[in-house]
Amino acid sequence: QVQLVESGGGSVQAGGSLRLSCVASGFSIGTYCMAWFRQGTGKDRERVAAISTSGGSTSYADSAKGRFTISRDNDKNALYLQMNSLKPEDTAMYYCAAVQVSWLFCSTWSDFTYWGQGTQVTVSS
């Protein structure tokens, strides 16, 4: 059965770092565009970053540029999000997602096929 399982969330002080991981099972992510989304309490879901199948192309929300780095290891069937210089406004549930579309569409795609259950990130000031 298809699963995406996130880990690495937690509580951290502003300015700190966290590295989120997402491991897939039941399918190979190698042909899927992957992304990280987040949703804070009372807020709309926001795409944080996306990455092409090879990892050669990435895109970031303005709020994440310069602080977050998305990466993937297709051999390990895993997706990562390195988050540095965290701010209280980064507090949210973070989700990984997968969709089988070309990068041309993926960079702005919202209707992802597979979703994880999320990992909570809490940043205190």
Side-chain angles (χ1 to χ4, degrees):
Q1 108 219 32
V2 171
Q3 267 193 312
L4 291 171
V5 179
E6 303 94 337
S7 62
S11 297
V12 64
Q13 288 194 324
S17 298
L18 285 172
R19 187 186 192 223
L20 306 185
S21 298
C22 170
V23 178
S25 59
F27 74 107
S28 173
I29 70 168
T31 60
Y32 284 75
C33 178
M34 303 292 293
W36 288 97
F37 289 79
R38 69 184 180 186
Q39 188 165 19
T41 303
K43 298 182 180 180
D44 293 334
R45 187 177 65 194
E46 175 189 22
R47 176 205 303 268
V48 175
I51 188 167
S52 62
T53 54
S54 67
S57 296
T58 58
S59 67
Y60 296 91
D62 287 344
S63 57
K65 285 179 182 176
R67 300 187 299 125
F68 293 3
T69 302
I70 188 171
S71 62
R72 64 192 294 160
D73 186 331
N74 289 343
D75 290 337
K76 294 183 178 179
N77 230 23
L79 176 72
Y80 307 100
L81 185 68
Q82 177 67 44
M83 304 187 295
N84 299 327
S85 302
L86 283 162
K87 304 175 181 180
E89 51 263 44
D90 294 318
T91 295
M93 187 71 80
Y94 284 71
Y95 302 89
C96 66
V99 66
Q100 209 166 24
V101 297
S102 69
W103 180 246
L104 177 65
F105 300 105
C106 183
S107 58
T108 57
W109 200 262
S110 60
D111 189 19
F112 278 64
T113 305
Y114 302 129
W115 291 84
Q117 292 300 306
T119 185
Q120 177 69 35
V121 171
T122 302
V123 184
S124 58
S125 58

